[in-house]
């Protein structure tokens, strides 16, 4: 008898899939021919479909331009694509920008995550028992919710939250929303808090590409604060493999 499970595809819905980490994740997922991906991205300044050129003709790749604040469009997308896994990457993610204009971070990272959670919860509630058990909502966060590293040590899942910027505070808020939707509504969630990513297609305002590009062009190398901040770095492909 033929094993029909071999013909089944895991369907991933990725928010923010045109971003730096999201595009790397999509390419990694599509390396498995049994997986399909829907990329839901609003194509703001940090989203670039050129980073996905190698997969844009893949029959298992789909794209919808949409805002995570648009609950109706996102709900329609869920109901039509019927994902097994939603990975939420869409976020405002630059500390300096959050200091200059925190409103966008409050709107996207907090209200946007709430909007996504409610749409996903309503979708999940209508699944059958087996589909409910296998469904996952994965929220990708940052280690900046834990504050600043000292000269030694590292963050763990038990580290107390200590955000120090509008960006990290908005991500900490979104983390708490995700956890509360699990505890209150039993929505099956995963939460990961990664350190600073680097690698191909990273938006040039980030530290490593900014420093490299400035050095190549003979420009000054800007230092954040007093230059004493300790940073932990993670290569983007190692992140998406995990």
């Amino acid at each position: 008898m033929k094993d029909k499970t071999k013909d089944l595809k895991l369907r991933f819905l990725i928010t923010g899939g045109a971003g730096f980490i999201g595009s790397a994740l999509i390419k990694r997922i599509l390396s498995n021919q049994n997986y399909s991906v829907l990329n839901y991205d609003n194509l703001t300044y940090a989203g670039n479909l050129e980073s996905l050129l190698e997969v844009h003709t893949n029959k298992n790749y789909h794209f919808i331009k949409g805002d995570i604040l648009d609950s109706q469009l996102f709900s329609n997308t869920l109901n039509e694509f019927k994902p097994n896994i939603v990975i939420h990457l869409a976020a405002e993610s630059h500390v300096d920008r959050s200091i200059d204009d925190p409103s966008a971070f409050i709107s996207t990272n907090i209200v946007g995550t709430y909007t996504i959670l409610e749409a996903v919860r309503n979708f999940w509630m209508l699944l059958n028992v087996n589909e409910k058990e296998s469904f996952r909502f994965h929220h990708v966060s940052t280690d900046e919710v834990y504050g600043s590293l000292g000269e030694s040590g590292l963050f763990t899942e038990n580290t107390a939250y200590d955000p120090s910027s509008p960006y990290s505070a908005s991500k900490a808020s979104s983390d708490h929303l995700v956890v509360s939707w699990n505890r209150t509504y039993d929505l099956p969630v995963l939460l990961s808090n990664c350190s600073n990513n680097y690698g191909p297609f990273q938006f040039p305002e980030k530290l490593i590409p900014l420093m490299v590009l400035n050095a190549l062009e003979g420009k000054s190398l800007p230092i954040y604060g007093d230059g004493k901040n300790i940073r932990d770095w993670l290569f983007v492909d190692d992140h998406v493999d995990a």
Side-chain angles (χ1 to χ4, degrees):
M1 180 181 293
K2 183 180 180 182
D3 183 0
K4 294 182 179 180
T5 60
K6 292 182 179 179
D7 296 328
L8 297 178
K9 287 186 172 66
L10 268 182
R11 296 182 298 278
F12 294 79
L13 192 159
I14 313 291
T15 69
F20 165 51
I21 299 174
S23 60
L25 175 61
I26 287 175
K27 286 181 281 191
R28 175 69 177 81
I29 291 172
L30 289 176
S31 66
N32 187 319
Q33 295 182 2
N34 291 317
Y35 296 165
S36 61
V37 174
L38 190 150
N39 175 12
Y40 185 95
D41 196 294
N42 203 30
L43 298 181
T44 59
Y45 74 94
N48 187 355
L49 290 178
E50 290 187 10
S51 60
L52 289 161
L53 286 178
E54 67 185 73
V55 300
H56 84 284
T57 59
N58 189 313
K59 61 181 175 51
N60 292 335
Y61 173 70
H62 314 275
F63 172 72
I64 287 184
K65 184 180 185 301
D67 192 333
I68 59 173
L69 292 166
D70 189 338
S71 60
Q72 189 61 58
L73 176 60
F74 190 76
S75 294
N76 291 344
T77 302
L78 284 170
N79 292 324
E80 291 176 11
F81 186 65
K82 301 186 185 315
N84 310 103
I85 299 170
V86 175
I87 304 182
H88 180 36
L89 280 152
E92 294 285 345
S93 64
H94 191 57
V95 172
D96 290 347
R97 283 180 182 268
S98 78
I99 294 170
D100 293 337
D101 180 18
S103 63
F105 290 75
I106 303 303
S107 177
T108 298
N109 297 352
I110 300 178
V111 181
T113 298
Y114 158 74
T115 303
I116 292 294
L117 281 168
E118 275 295 85
V120 168
R121 180 171 73 91
N122 291 330
F123 168 76
W124 173 76
M125 288 175 62
L126 297 177
L127 299 177
N128 64 42
V129 173
N130 290 333
E131 290 171 335
K132 277 187 175 181
E133 289 181 352
S134 62
F135 182 86
R136 294 291 183 274
F137 177 84
H138 183 176
H139 177 63
V140 180
S141 188
T142 171
D143 67 350
E144 293 201 31
V145 299
Y146 301 124
S148 301
L149 278 173
E151 293 184 4
S152 63
L154 48 80
F155 298 129
T156 73
E157 292 177 341
N158 296 318
T159 302
Y161 275 49
D162 187 26
S164 56
S165 69
Y167 161 57
S168 57
S170 67
K171 289 297 288 185
S173 298
S174 68
D175 289 2
H176 294 321
L177 288 175
V178 171
V179 172
S180 68
W181 255 244
N182 169 252
R183 293 179 179 175
T184 304
Y185 305 111
D186 294 322
L187 183 69
V189 307
L190 297 167
L191 179 63
S192 57
N193 298 85
C194 68
S195 56
N196 293 281
N197 279 215
Y198 71 96
F201 301 105
Q202 188 168 25
F203 194 72
E205 72 181 0
K206 299 295 185 175
L207 180 65
I208 290 180
L210 177 65
M211 290 295 192
V212 171
L213 290 172
N214 277 19
L216 288 172
E217 296 173 6
K219 296 180 180 179
S220 61
L221 305 180
I223 299 298
Y224 178 76
D226 58 10
K228 295 181 180 179
N229 294 74
I230 307 296
R231 297 196 183 202
D232 187 27
W233 294 98
L234 177 64
F235 184 56
V236 66
D237 288 345
D238 292 333
H239 181 194
V240 301
D241 281 346

